[in-house]
Amino acid sequence: MSAAVRFELRKLAAQWRVRALLLAALLGPIPVALVMSAQANPPKDTLFGRFALDNGFALALMLLGFLGQWVLPLLTSVVAGDSFASEDQHGTWKTVLTRSTSRNRLFWAKVLVNLGLTTLVLVVLAASTIASALLVEGAPALTGLTGQLIAPGHALWLVAAAWLSVLPPLLGFTCLALLMSVWTRSSAAAIAVPVVLALAMQMLGSVGTLEPVRPFLLTTAFESWHGLLTDPRFTGPLLEGFVVSAAWAAVCLAGASFILHRRDITGG
Amino acid sequence: MRRVLIPVLVPTLALVLALAALTGLAFATNPGSTVTKARLERALPAVFAHVYVQEQRLAGRTGLTVADLDPVAMCDRGGPSVADTGPGSDWVCLMSWQDPEVPMPTEGYGKFELTVRSNDCFTASSPSKLVGYATMTDASGKTVTNPAYEFDGCFDPDTSNTPTGHTFPSLLSLTSTTAQVDASGHPQVQLGCGTGSDGCAGTLTATVATADGSTGRSLGSVPFDLAEEQVKTVTLPGRLRAGDSQVVVTLSTTTGVGSSSPATLAVQGATG
């Protein structure tokens, strides 16, 4: 198993898109923070947008709310969507399976490597966004979602926790992209479909009359950090988000595993 | 072409169908919206107390605390015919609080307009006459954003949904600025009843205005009964004569609150 994981890691590290992704996560937030701080009017329609022009914590949280809509799903599906489909494109299934490893091992190696990469991308993106937002706009006390003032030292922890809280739904999207990658055998489709679905879920969740469906959507968990910024704090939606994300991930991985095992690779 | 399209289309369609099935399932087990009157009535005062104290601190007042303010709210969505639940931009909350330097108006509350989203967060805009405008002057003379003028808040969807029991009366007001004369010479005025618990009821009395301010010829009185967030035109029994240029209207309320001081309206349209 560890040999398969190491092999997948080497394949990933050699890809230009993985390097580009990490570089984008590291450097992308800097121009965004600079452009935001130069705006004349604050984007009040997004949560924390009201304070986003002169408070680094608020800017980092506003960007988190904004990125959750489709950028985060795109970041993970860019690599995960390519993972299985690239073996189809290069016609390498027979090579990897007959020579080096079992189908099951290869599947879990790819899953593990992709989940790990997504986690790394999120951590880099979070650290870079928070750091650039604070450097550009400073770190005054933050007005929370109960109107309470949060001291800068405490606000930093809360903002970091809010960013990390989107990891479960993000990994859910990774699994969705992996499923599409196995199923469609097309990188383009496996990258695009999760992003389109994220947008669709976002829309479904924001329509007032469709409120009952909200708890089951992956994108709802992208917003469950709100409870961390209120006083008293609430974590019900966070836990719900974990469960829903885990369920999506389990269903997607089970589906992907089933399809991969049923495939006739010798013929393709 | 088929070789490329089918492997892509089938999974995509399957996912869309799965999402549709999920929506159906969710509706079958519909637990109701998490956005409710009671939750807003608890969440709005909690947020407002903080931002109002913050505003007063900026202005240089340090004595006021969140606990002193003790705000109480009553929320309503879209008038009497709309259920008070669910996200929307038609929520109105009436709120009163204790600030010795800013007493409440006669109706006893300020009116807040809320946009509530399905993610259990809301944006509230405050009544300027009690809270001030978008910008304010701070203690050092700088122009700063007024934190209480417009503010965001979120509430826990798992908190208590038991009614708070807070009620405020509707505010009755004369919405017409003139007295319109109908075809048969009767003056008509328009009344508006604001958001509140029971609507507005009472009697409207009118007289013809005189030059010296003495009580003029009576135009009679009419009872009225309005639901909250309703506007109604009231026709007075008396007729206007040629030369009557102004009428004096007095409102007395049995339900709801309104100014009881007489209002003078110019007559609009043909008389006599």
Side-chain angles (χ1 to χ4, degrees):
Chain A
M1 186 71 198
S2 73
V5 170
R6 237 176 294 143
F7 187 59
E8 285 300 322
L9 271 178
R10 273 180 56 195
K11 276 202 274 185
L12 222 51
Q15 276 187 50
W16 64 266
R17 71 169 83 203
V18 174
R19 293 176 197 166
L21 181 66
L22 282 168
L23 210 62
L26 184 66
L27 301 179
I30 300 169
V32 173
L34 286 172
V35 167
M36 280 306 303
S37 67
Q39 299 290 311
N41 292 307
K44 290 183 192 165
D45 46 351
T46 311
L47 220 49
F48 286 103
R50 196 175 295 287
F51 311 106
L53 301 193
D54 42 30
N55 187 318
F57 296 118
L59 176 60
L61 289 173
M62 190 214 81
L63 289 175
L64 174 61
F66 176 73
L67 292 180
Q69 294 178 358
W70 60 273
V71 181
L72 288 177
L74 176 67
L75 285 183
T76 184
S77 64
V78 156
V79 175
D82 188 52
S83 168
F84 289 92
S86 68
E87 306 280 1
D88 280 295
Q89 267 157 17
H90 299 124
T92 43
W93 275 120
K94 267 184 274 188
T95 323
V96 289
L97 286 179
T98 50
R99 299 248 175 99
S100 48
T101 185
S102 82
R103 216 176 271 208
N104 204 29
R105 255 189 225 159
L106 182 73
F107 176 76
W108 286 109
K110 280 185 184 293
V111 169
L112 278 180
V113 165
N114 276 292
L115 293 181
L117 179 71
T118 300
T119 310
L120 179 67
V121 169
L122 180 69
V123 169
V124 170
L125 182 67
S128 171
T129 306
I130 297 171
S132 11
L134 292 181
L135 282 177
V136 171
E137 298 189 344
L142 174 70
T143 301
L145 293 174
T146 311
Q148 84 279 26
L149 278 177
I150 305 171
H154 190 45
L156 183 61
W157 284 112
L158 290 178
V159 172
W163 268 88
L164 284 185
S165 80
V166 301
L167 184 61
L170 191 57
L171 293 180
F173 273 106
T174 310
C175 297
L176 187 63
L178 288 171
L179 168 68
M180 292 316 280
S181 188
V182 174
W183 207 351
T184 62
R185 305 182 197 181
S186 145
S187 298
I191 292 168
V193 170
V195 176
V196 173
L197 264 162
L199 279 171
M201 285 195 241
Q202 193 75 41
M203 265 164 57
L204 277 178
S206 63
V207 176
T209 48
L210 295 180
E211 228 195 331
V213 81
R214 263 186 76 79
F216 303 102
L217 301 176
L218 257 181
T219 45
T220 305
F222 278 138
E223 296 183 297
S224 59
W225 54 268
H226 294 163
L228 296 174
L229 275 301
T230 60
D231 180 29
R233 216 173 288 167
F234 59 89
T235 48
L238 268 177
L239 297 177
E240 234 171 76
F242 285 2
V243 173
V244 169
S245 304
W248 273 82
V251 169
C252 288
L253 288 184
S257 167
F258 176 76
I259 292 166
L260 187 67
H261 281 86
R262 240 183 32 148
R263 251 183 88 172
D264 175 15
I265 279 168
T266 47
Chain B
M1 195 62 192
R2 278 181 58 147
R3 267 181 66 104
V4 183
L5 267 183
I6 288 175
V8 173
L9 275 182
V10 168
T12 311
L13 278 177
L15 272 178
V16 170
L17 281 179
L19 208 59
L22 202 65
T23 312
L25 185 78
F27 269 93
T29 60
N30 188 356
S33 178
T34 52
V35 177
T36 62
K37 173 181 162 75
R39 291 201 183 106
L40 284 176
E41 284 173 0
R42 288 188 175 88
L44 179 69
V47 184
F48 176 74
H50 283 105
V51 292
Y52 187 80
V53 167
Q54 215 176 305
E55 177 194 3
Q56 299 302 323
R57 292 246 165 93
L58 279 174
R61 269 177 84 190
T62 46
L64 200 69
T65 67
V66 166
D68 291 339
L69 219 55
D70 192 26
V72 167
M74 170 198 144
C75 296
D76 182 275
R77 186 177 177 203
S81 54
V82 181
D84 294 337
T85 175
S89 55
D90 49 355
W91 279 93
V92 168
C93 294
L94 309 177
M95 182 154 54
S96 77
W97 61 93
Q98 316 291 325
D99 179 356
E101 287 188 25
V102 184
M104 289 290 121
T106 45
E107 64 267 28
Y109 53 79
K111 181 179 157 190
F112 291 72
E113 281 165 15
L114 271 72
T115 298
V116 190
R117 292 179 200 88
S118 53
N119 62 6
D120 304 321
C121 292
F122 57 86
T123 302
S125 53
S126 305
S128 331
K129 61 176 176 180
L130 294 171
V131 176
Y133 291 93
T135 55
M136 58 182 281
T137 310
D138 73 1
S140 61
K142 268 193 308 185
T143 301
V144 293
T145 305
N146 179 353
Y149 174 73
E150 204 178 50
F151 53 91
D152 299 312
C154 293
F155 59 88
D156 183 353
D158 300 322
T159 47
S160 165
N161 194 27
T162 47
T164 59
H166 300 142
T167 57
F168 287 112
S170 290
L171 178 62
L172 177 75
S173 56
L174 207 54
T175 51
S176 53
T177 50
T178 58
Q180 197 77 36
V181 183
D182 72 2
S184 51
H186 298 285
Q188 290 181 321
V189 293
Q190 206 176 45
L191 295 175
C193 184
T195 306
S197 49
D198 304 304
C200 309
T203 318
L204 181 151
T205 316
T207 57
V208 177
T210 54
D212 58 1
S214 62
T215 308
R217 177 168 47 84
S218 173
L219 291 167
S221 59
V222 198
F224 58 82
D225 192 355
L226 282 79
E228 61 161 339
E229 294 184 25
Q230 195 192 354
V231 173
K232 212 178 208 173
T233 302
V234 174
T235 307
L236 285 152
R239 279 209 174 88
L240 286 172
R241 296 177 196 151
D244 291 344
S245 60
Q246 286 182 321
V247 294
V248 179
V249 175
T250 312
L251 298 169
S252 74
T253 48
T254 51
T255 309
V257 287
S259 168
S260 58
S261 52
T264 307
L265 303 179
V267 172
Q268 185 99 45
T271 52

